[in-house]
Amino acid sequence: MTTLPKPRQPELKTSLPGPKTAVIMERDSQHLSTSYMRPYPFVPDHGEGVWLTDVDGNTMLDFFAGIAVSTTGHAHPHVVRAVQEQITKFTHVCLTDYPQEITTSLAERMVKHVERPGEKWRVFFGNSGAEAVEAAVKLARNHTGRSHIISTIGSFHGRTYGAITLTGSKTKYKRGFGPLLPNVSHVPYPNPFRPPLGATAETCGQAVIDHIEGLFQTIIPADEVAAIIIEPMQGEGGYIVPPADFLPKLRALCDRYGIMLIFDEVQAGMGRSGKMYSFQHFDGVQPDIVTVAKGIASGMPISAMLAKESVMTWPVGSHGSTYGGNPVAAAAAHATLDLLEGAVKHPGCGDSLMENAAQVGEFIMAELRGMQAEFPFLGDVRGAGMFIGLEFVKPDGSPDGKLRDRASMAMFGRGLLNLDCGEAVIRISPPLILTREEAATGLEIMRDALRALK
Ligand SMILES: Cc1ncc(COP(=O)(O)O)c(C=O)c1O
């Protein structure tokens, strides 16, 4: 009888935090910005695939990918090679003033994932998600000649002034920073698990549409609205998937009033949901503008704002960025796309990382749903692909943030890197190279951690 090799497990060589980690955490607390959060003591030293080793030699399984960024895992050889190759050629000239082939071809490649027959799209490159969002809002205002922007409660769009104004997830992002951007309003997000506006899981999409129509009749003149910006699947707000009818109805509403529809795909995009963009799970919906960052280049800083050619009408010189579209980051984006699309295969991940995200993500969600019987405090398991939210609830069904925090620490203590979001949610957003076996290892750690909470 042959015995299968035991799958790789986290390896904890010290208690947590280890001595070197503790020293760096202390130095960090003395010299870095007081705004940085530190959910638990972890200081990375190096990574390989879905594994990260801290400065004390403790190796942990990565179930959050640096907030949905490290799509191809850590130090993927194909990405490393692409970066090394480009860095020996040139690292900067400035895309705002001169074209560079590596970024031109990246744009050509990216628009293919949004263009429909007969359509043409264009790309603006920045460095961060917030910059892509700023660009989207500036473009929408410039194109329409209107000023008002509608965003959603629970959303996260970044931390620059325009982006925090749009953000609707936590007051801490806004307190003491005003005045913010004028002419921005927030409407509820249709969360089927906690339906707003007195609606049900099934009716909450229509209820939000009716709510916006109500605002147009009373408070916000529709002909002054430049754009509605929304995450097609809400990230920071709790990894929420809206009901199937909502985005098509939102599209129709925008069409009725000549409003630009902006989909912020910074967190759910780039293959994480099992499709290139999370809006592609909703039949027939096409935005006017899309923002992308995070997973686009496996951790190298680059972002993109894609818009229909008919919308990208701002004049020469009206917008730009010194570093945006940096050639080294663009090389990493090409390599990331190779793996996402399947032009380059990753061992054990099927035809492409997008396909792997869909299949392994489905396995993780099915396993988590199976755990709900043993752990009644797991109120909801939701998502698509490797964009998965796990909501902790009290016996009365209200969100249990404290229990979620304890669960997060218990998982970390067992070598599973994870991150919270929303009021009481753990987001499961691993590198898209996670295999079924590695997923099973992570799930076993979660089960063990959750048992320890009882
Ligand atoms: C949906 C969404 N938009 C925008 C941002 C801002 O991105 P960045 O932190 O790169 O500016 C984030 C970051 O979490 C995000 O999740």
Side-chain angles (χ1 to χ4, degrees), residues 17 20-30 38 40-43:
K20 290 182 184 161
T21 298
V23 168
I24 296 171
M25 294 289 297
E26 170 55 21
R27 284 168 53 204
D28 174 270
S29 76
Q30 293 298 323
R38 301 288 181 251
Y40 44 70
F42 176 72
V43 181

XYZ file of all heavy atoms in Angstrom, residues 17 20-30 38 40-43:
142
model
N 4.133 36.519 19.035
C 5.174 36.812 18.047
C 6.535 36.264 18.482
O 6.842 36.231 19.672
C 5.209 38.340 18.038
C 4.765 38.742 19.413
C 3.768 37.711 19.832
N 12.270 38.194 16.957
C 12.630 39.213 15.949
C 11.391 40.019 15.538
O 11.453 41.225 15.339
C 13.249 38.543 14.710
C 14.630 37.971 14.976
C 15.191 37.377 13.699
C 16.525 36.718 13.964
N 16.905 35.773 12.911
N 10.280 39.303 15.410
C 9.018 39.978 15.072
C 8.698 41.023 16.133
O 8.360 42.168 15.819
C 7.862 38.954 14.981
O 8.160 38.039 13.934
C 6.533 39.619 14.716
N 8.837 40.642 17.407
C 8.491 41.556 18.501
C 9.354 42.820 18.429
O 8.840 43.936 18.595
C 8.670 40.845 19.841
N 10.641 42.655 18.112
C 11.538 43.819 18.052
C 11.119 44.739 16.905
O 11.032 45.959 17.060
C 13.020 43.361 17.896
C 13.920 44.538 17.539
C 13.497 42.691 19.182
N 10.832 44.161 15.746
C 10.457 44.998 14.591
C 9.107 45.672 14.835
O 8.906 46.839 14.491
C 10.468 44.177 13.277
C 11.897 43.716 12.992
C 9.927 45.001 12.104
C 12.051 42.718 11.866
N 8.178 44.918 15.464
C 6.875 45.521 15.779
C 7.083 46.753 16.670
O 6.441 47.789 16.478
C 5.967 44.521 16.518
C 5.535 43.311 15.733
S 4.339 43.605 14.403
C 2.905 44.210 15.268
N 7.987 46.640 17.639
C 8.241 47.758 18.555
C 8.871 48.938 17.798
O 8.437 50.081 17.936
C 9.156 47.263 19.700
C 9.721 48.334 20.621
C 8.653 49.231 21.265
O 7.487 48.819 21.334
O 8.997 50.376 21.655
N 9.881 48.664 16.944
C 10.509 49.744 16.158
C 9.476 50.392 15.243
O 9.435 51.614 15.103
C 11.667 49.175 15.320
C 12.907 48.898 16.150
C 13.944 48.078 15.375
N 14.277 48.648 14.092
C 14.767 47.929 13.063
N 14.970 46.634 13.165
N 15.057 48.527 11.931
N 8.657 49.555 14.633
C 7.591 50.029 13.740
C 6.657 50.980 14.498
O 6.303 52.047 13.999
C 6.844 48.776 13.231
C 5.613 49.071 12.418
O 4.519 49.183 12.998
O 5.753 49.178 11.195
N 6.326 50.593 15.723
C 5.385 51.418 16.502
C 6.016 52.762 16.881
O 5.314 53.725 17.140
C 4.918 50.673 17.749
O 5.938 50.694 18.726
N 7.347 52.829 16.890
C 8.030 54.072 17.254
C 8.175 55.035 16.083
O 8.242 56.235 16.273
C 9.456 53.760 17.782
C 9.484 53.011 19.095
C 8.833 53.804 20.221
O 8.956 55.016 20.306
N 8.094 53.113 21.074
N -2.411 47.189 12.799
C -1.609 45.975 12.969
C -2.513 44.907 13.572
O -2.540 44.734 14.781
C -0.406 46.247 13.895
C 0.546 47.353 13.398
C 1.351 46.871 12.201
N 2.285 47.869 11.694
C 2.136 48.511 10.536
N 1.078 48.301 9.794
N 3.045 49.364 10.125
N -2.515 41.717 13.762
C -1.790 40.742 14.595
C -0.305 40.853 14.255
O 0.067 41.431 13.219
C -2.318 39.309 14.407
C -2.586 38.882 12.976
C -1.548 38.665 12.079
C -3.889 38.672 12.522
C -1.788 38.254 10.778
C -4.150 38.278 11.213
C -3.087 38.075 10.351
O -3.326 37.673 9.064
N 0.548 40.304 15.130
C 1.985 40.522 14.927
C 2.562 39.606 13.858
O 2.842 38.437 14.112
C 2.587 40.208 16.307
C 1.633 39.262 16.931
C 0.275 39.561 16.368
N 2.743 40.138 12.666
C 3.322 39.353 11.581
C 4.278 40.258 10.805
O 3.907 41.341 10.367
C 2.219 38.823 10.655
C 2.777 38.087 9.469
C 3.362 36.835 9.615
C 2.761 38.670 8.204
C 3.906 36.168 8.521
C 3.298 38.001 7.108
C 3.878 36.757 7.271
N 5.519 39.816 10.657
C 6.515 40.575 9.885
C 7.111 39.621 8.851
O 7.865 38.705 9.205
C 7.631 41.142 10.798
C 8.642 41.936 9.967
C 7.049 42.003 11.901
